């Protein structure tokens, strides 16, 4: 479904008085509600990267090719040059138990760290020795749609297109709640039914 298709469906249920910007806000809120419920398969991504000598920061680093800017969580991280599966570790454990030893080996551990409202970044310890290839299997950060007037605007929604209606139903629930309309309860049930259909398709297919 395009964003215009989603707007049109919302209008069929009486929300033609809502501005497109308001509908988009509700659609994005519904989308985030859905994708943050479970670690969906459609949020998973695998990338093969090359990391130069001396590097510790893997994400948001222009020296790493290709650059990774959408990391949400790590599912697996493998050094394919040396056939090493890196072990996840807490940042404080790396600081207290490993860095003091000044290890001079290939990286065997990775950790995530961030500050304030910044997204978490992926680091390895110790630093990479020589140009090294890695395979990173991870979930991406969901991004809301922006209405630029193109049919591809809804492609930002990572939910498969055949299930885009669940986003619309979630937005309708919110729209009815905004208007303090008792139909919100009925549409919540419809949303949950569509959600379960998508869940069955995603996990049981």
């Amino acid at each position: 479904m395009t964003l215009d298709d989603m707007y049109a469906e919302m209008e069929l249920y009486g929300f033609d008085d809502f501005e497109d910007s308001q509908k988009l806000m509700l659609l994005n809120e519904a989308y985030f509600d859905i994708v943050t419920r479970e670690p969906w398969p459609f949020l998973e991504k695998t990338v093969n990267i090359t990391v130069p000598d001396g590097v510790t920061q893997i994400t948001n680093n222009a020296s790493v090719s290709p650059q990774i800017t959408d990391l949400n969580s790590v599912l697996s991280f493998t050094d394919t040059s040396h056939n090493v599966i890196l072990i996840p570790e807490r940042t404080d454990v790396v600081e207290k138990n490993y860095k003091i030893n000044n290890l001079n080996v290939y990286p065997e551990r990775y950790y995530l760290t961030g500050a304030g409202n910044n997204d978490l970044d992926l680091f390895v310890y110790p630093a990479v020795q020589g140009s090294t290839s890695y395979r990173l299997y991870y979930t991406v950060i969901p991004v809301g749609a922006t209405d630029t007037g193109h049919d591809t605007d809804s492609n930002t929604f990572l939910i498969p297109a055949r299930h885009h209606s669940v986003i619309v139903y979630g937005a309708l629930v919110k729209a009815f709640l905004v208007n303090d309309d008792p139909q919100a309860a009925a549409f919540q049930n419809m949303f949950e039914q569509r959600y379960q259909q998508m869940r069955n398709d995603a996990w049981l297919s």
Side-chain angles (χ1 to χ4, degrees), residues 16-171:
D16 50 335
D17 57 331
F18 278 39
E19 298 289 336
D20 285 352
S21 60
Q22 294 174 309
K23 297 172 195 166
L24 179 62
M25 179 183 67
L26 295 175
L27 288 166
N28 278 332
E29 288 181 358
Y31 172 65
F32 287 122
D33 286 347
I34 295 164
V35 296
T36 55
R37 279 193 181 191
E38 304 184 46
W40 298 101
F42 51 74
L43 296 178
E44 296 173 3
K45 184 176 181 180
T46 302
V47 62
N48 293 300
I49 58 176
T50 301
V51 183
D53 180 64
V55 165
T56 58
Q57 182 173 339
I58 305 301
T59 54
N60 297 302
N61 186 341
S63 68
V64 174
S65 179
Q67 187 175 4
I68 301 170
T69 60
D70 58 354
L71 178 81
N72 182 48
S73 64
V74 176
L75 300 175
S76 70
F77 192 26
T78 306
D79 175 348
T80 55
S81 291
H82 306 101
N83 295 319
V84 175
I85 298 175
L86 277 73
I87 301 169
E89 192 61 88
R90 286 176 52 96
T91 304
D92 61 309
V93 173
V94 172
E95 289 288 339
K96 291 183 293 187
N97 297 346
Y98 299 110
K99 288 191 175 181
I100 58 173
N101 295 324
N102 193 26
L103 298 177
N104 188 29
V105 296
Y106 297 122
E108 295 181 346
R109 286 172 169 76
Y110 70 84
Y111 58 99
L112 298 169
T113 187
N117 293 324
N118 295 330
D119 295 324
L120 292 175
D121 274 316
L122 173 63
F123 289 78
V124 295
Y125 184 79
V128 174
Q129 295 188 28
S131 180
T132 305
S133 298
Y134 290 90
R135 183 173 60 253
L136 178 63
Y137 180 35
Y138 67 105
T139 60
V140 302
I141 299 172
V143 177
T146 301
D147 193 345
T148 65
H150 296 92
D151 288 347
T152 56
D153 287 340
S154 61
N155 289 354
T156 308
F157 294 142
L158 297 178
I159 291 174
R162 63 185 180 278
H163 294 301
H164 277 182
S165 60
V166 73
I167 304 174
V168 177
Y169 276 90

